[in-house]
Each structure stands twice: as C-alpha cells, then as structure tokens.
Amino acid sequence: MTFVENLTLFVLSAFIGYEVITKIPTNLHTPLMSGANAISGITLLGSVVVAGQGETTLATALGFLAVVMATINVVGGYLVSHFMLSEFSQGGR
Amino acid sequence: MAGILAQQLPEQALQFAYLVSGIMFIQGLRDMTHPRTATRGNLISSGGMFLAVAVTILWFEILTPAILAAGLLIGGVVGAYLAVAVETTEMPQLVGLFNGFGGGASAVVAGAELVDVLAGSGDLGVGLTASAAIAAIIGSVTFSGSFVASGKLHGIVGESPVSTNVGHALKVTFLGVALVAGAVLVVQPSLFGGVPTAEWVPVYWVIVAAALLLGVFLVVPIGGADMPVVISLLNSYSGLAAATTGFVLNNTVLIIAGTLVGAAGMILTIIMCESMNRSLANVFFGGLGGDDTAE
C-alpha cells in the first residue's frame, strides 16, 4: 500500500459518503448520527492489530486501552441505534 | 506475523473481506436514511463491522490473546450496559459519549503504533509521523469535545454560553502548541538522528494533551441547545480520525469506513443545522446565545 493508493481510497470514499446522505426525515437525524458513529468505531481494527502485535509492554497496554474504548463505541453505538430505531417502528411514526 | 486464516488463504482474501465489509457499511448507511429500511441498514452495517473485526482477529498473529479478549469483553460489556441502561430521552448524550471513546481510541492507537514501530524497526517515516500527528489532534479534540457536549446535554456541565477573549486566546494557544508539537514529531527523526528522545515518544503525548484542552475550550462556549449539532460534527471528526489511523496502519477498510463517516457526518451536520435554521458557522462562532459582543 502506497500513500497514493491510500489517498485514492480516501477521496473516492469521501464522494460516496457525500452522495449517500440525501434528504433525511428529521426523526432519523439522531439514529443516523448514532449509526454513523458506530461505523467510526472501525478504529477497533487498528486497536486489535496493535494490541495483539505490540512489541513492547507499553504498546500492548496502549493497544488494550484503545480496544476497550473502540469496543464501547462499536457495541454501544450499534445497540443504541437499534433501540432508537425500534422505538420509531413501535410508535407507528 | 500470520494467524490462522493467513496460513490457509492467499493474501488477497483479507483485502477482499475488507472490501465486502466496506460495501456493507455503504449500503447500511444508505438504508439508514429511509424510515422503512433504517433498522435493516443498522443491521447490515453491524454485520460489516463483525466481519471486519472477526477476519482481522483471525488473520493477524495475536501475541497476547488474553489481553485482547479482556479488552473486547470489558468494552463490550460497558457499551452494552450503557446502551441498555440509559433512558430514551438521554440517548443523544450517550451517542456523544460513545463518539468520544471512538475518537480517543484513534488517538491512542496511533500513539501505540508509533511506540511499536520505534521499538521494532525504529524507522519513523514522514508519512507515519504526519498521519499520527493528525490522528492525535482530531482524535483528542473529538474525545474531550464529545465529553463536554454530552455533559452539557446531560446538565452536568454549565449551560450558560460564556465566551471571552481569554477563551479565544486559550483556543489559539492550544491549537498552536498542538501544531508545533506535531511539526516537531514529523521533523524529529532528522533532527535527532532518527531517534526520538524516549521510547514512549513524549512529543506525541504533548500533541494529545494540547488537543484535549483545545476540544474542551472549543465546545464550552457553545450553547446547550446546539449540542446535537456539535456531537454530529465531532462524529464526523471521529470518522476522519479513524481514516487517518488507516493511513498510519495502511488499512484499507479503516480508510473507507472512516472517510465515509467523515463525509456523511459532515453533510448530516449541515442538514441538522438547516433544520434549525442555522448555519454551521453560526453555531460555532455566533452561537453565543445571541450575544456576539465578545467577537
């Protein structure tokens, strides 16, 4: 992976992110924010790799801290989004 | 360097799995913009996350499986507990809190990678240090800013939007310190013959500390009613922090998912502003409860 290949992915993904969000009903703003937030917990992958492969105690400890924080974001984020959305469907909107 | 899956499958398999989970994130996000498909979208997106995490754990050799398992368990239990325990009305601040943890994780993991590379090959290239500096600034601002925003929504942090020239001076100061420390981190290898002054890369944590303070002073002056917009913007930042971490680690799905959230979150923030008849600049610079005299 070169820097330019990474940059290519970055630019194309930015366009997709821009296009995916169109007109959104107001009551979906918060669940969508929450769902997007859960996706940003993808940083968990980085945490897993660093925590699992740390060459020093310090790197492993930092990786562990990152895994805990990122997992809270992922698990909590998806669950809260789900609860908010099921709230809507029960309320019959 | 190889885990169970890596020994059995060709190298492209990992990238292919990451591609599939990237597609699931895009489709999930798309479904979440429509009421009828929103629940399905959230499930697709979480499936993409599960795939990416599972494949990563099985692909890379895990030297300390107990520590990794403990981290996943603790984080999972805490996250699930908060999600289940919190009242519906308090969910916006909970989203802010989760977002803060995500940003914090990006900042910490970029630092951990610096420490790790330094202990290994010791070759801190410009691409690595520059990406790490950016992840440190964005991730740390997201962490502290999100906690302040959540605190305001929850009524723990003072509601009154106070802004003084001192506050502005502090913001500029901490931003300056973070940028200078970031520049030092990037040029350090050539300044000190390729060896940072200590194995824990002290200058990196100076960036983190300054950016944490910056996040606090950025959000404190903004009024409580604008907090959902602030949390949404910080959500976009945490996506960018994750994408930058992807640059640090050369990880494709981190870049795809992080950038996706960065861009989608930014548009969502603007839409949320518009539905309140505000502009983003208005929230951040004029959002002083109608009193703009401090400017």
Side-chain angles (χ1 to χ4, degrees):
Chain A
M1 266 303 164
T2 69
F3 177 76
V4 178
E5 281 171 315
N6 286 339
L7 196 64
T8 307
L9 274 181
F10 177 81
V11 173
L12 294 180
S13 304
F15 274 98
I16 293 173
Y18 181 90
E19 294 298 331
V20 155
I21 303 294
T22 47
K23 291 193 182 88
I24 309 148
T26 319
N27 61 354
L28 278 184
H29 285 176
T30 310
L32 182 61
M33 177 168 88
S34 180
N37 168 48
I39 296 178
S40 71
I42 188 73
T43 198
L44 174 57
L45 292 199
S47 314
V48 164
V49 173
V50 176
Q53 299 194 313
E55 304 227 3
T56 64
T57 315
L58 179 62
T60 307
L62 289 171
F64 171 76
L65 177 65
V67 167
V68 171
M69 293 203 287
T71 312
I72 291 176
N73 187 8
V74 168
V75 174
Y78 279 117
L79 274 179
V80 159
S81 313
H82 187 77
F83 291 152
M84 278 193 275
L85 289 168
S86 46
E87 197 88 2
F88 283 132
S89 46
Q90 277 167 15
R93 273 184 294 111
Chain B
M1 284 295 284
I4 300 165
L5 284 185
Q7 289 163 357
Q8 317 222 334
L9 297 169
E11 217 215 311
Q12 287 94 329
L14 178 70
Q15 295 304 324
F16 185 77
Y18 283 169
L19 171 65
V20 172
S21 80
I23 293 169
M24 289 170 84
F25 290 141
I26 295 170
Q27 183 59 38
L29 208 53
R30 216 165 81 135
D31 281 353
M32 283 194 81
T33 64
H34 299 286
R36 262 190 307 124
T37 54
T39 311
R40 185 185 71 191
N42 193 50
L43 287 175
I44 294 177
S45 167
S46 62
M49 184 65 75
F50 183 81
L51 173 67
V53 172
V55 166
T56 303
I57 290 175
L58 295 176
W59 189 274
F60 293 95
E61 185 189 26
I62 306 294
L63 299 174
T64 47
I67 291 178
L68 179 62
L72 290 169
L73 189 70
I74 294 171
V77 167
V78 171
Y81 172 76
L82 287 173
V84 172
V86 163
E87 299 285 325
T88 317
T89 48
E90 293 170 341
M91 280 179 178
Q93 50 263 49
L94 188 60
V95 175
L97 203 67
F98 289 152
N99 187 45
F101 281 121
S106 289
V108 170
V109 84
E113 177 68 7
L114 280 185
V115 170
D116 207 31
V117 171
L118 190 63
S121 66
D123 182 21
L124 298 180
V126 174
L128 175 65
T129 51
S131 309
I134 296 169
I137 293 176
I138 306 177
S140 304
V141 165
T142 306
F143 182 79
S144 60
S146 295
F147 275 78
V148 174
S150 284
K152 282 201 166 207
L153 271 181
H154 205 63
I156 305 170
V157 178
E159 181 68 34
S160 65
V162 183
S163 180
T164 61
N165 290 328
V166 179
H168 286 297
L170 285 173
K171 277 183 243 176
V172 173
T173 305
F174 290 130
L175 178 63
V177 171
L179 291 176
V180 169
V184 170
L185 177 65
V186 174
V187 299
Q188 196 177 34
S190 51
L191 274 183
F192 300 103
V195 185
T197 43
E199 55 146 341
W200 54 285
V201 199
V203 71
Y204 182 83
W205 306 102
V206 173
I207 309 175
V208 169
L212 283 174
L213 290 164
L214 175 64
V216 172
F217 286 100
L218 275 178
V219 178
V220 159
I222 303 172
D226 288 329
M227 282 308 127
V229 174
V230 172
I231 290 175
S232 181
L233 185 72
L234 289 171
N235 172 37
S236 164
Y237 285 177
S238 72
L240 290 178
T244 317
T245 310
F247 276 78
V248 175
L249 299 170
N250 272 323
N251 184 305
T252 53
V253 76
L254 235 64
I255 297 175
I256 294 173
T259 313
L260 190 68
V261 172
M266 188 61 76
I267 305 303
L268 181 63
T269 308
I270 293 168
I271 292 175
M272 284 169 81
C273 277
E274 281 170 354
S275 71
M276 296 166 65
N277 280 318
R278 304 281 298 275
S279 74
L280 199 53
N282 190 252
V283 168
F284 276 84
F285 301 108
L288 307 174
D291 181 7
D292 286 354
T293 49
E295 300 285 341

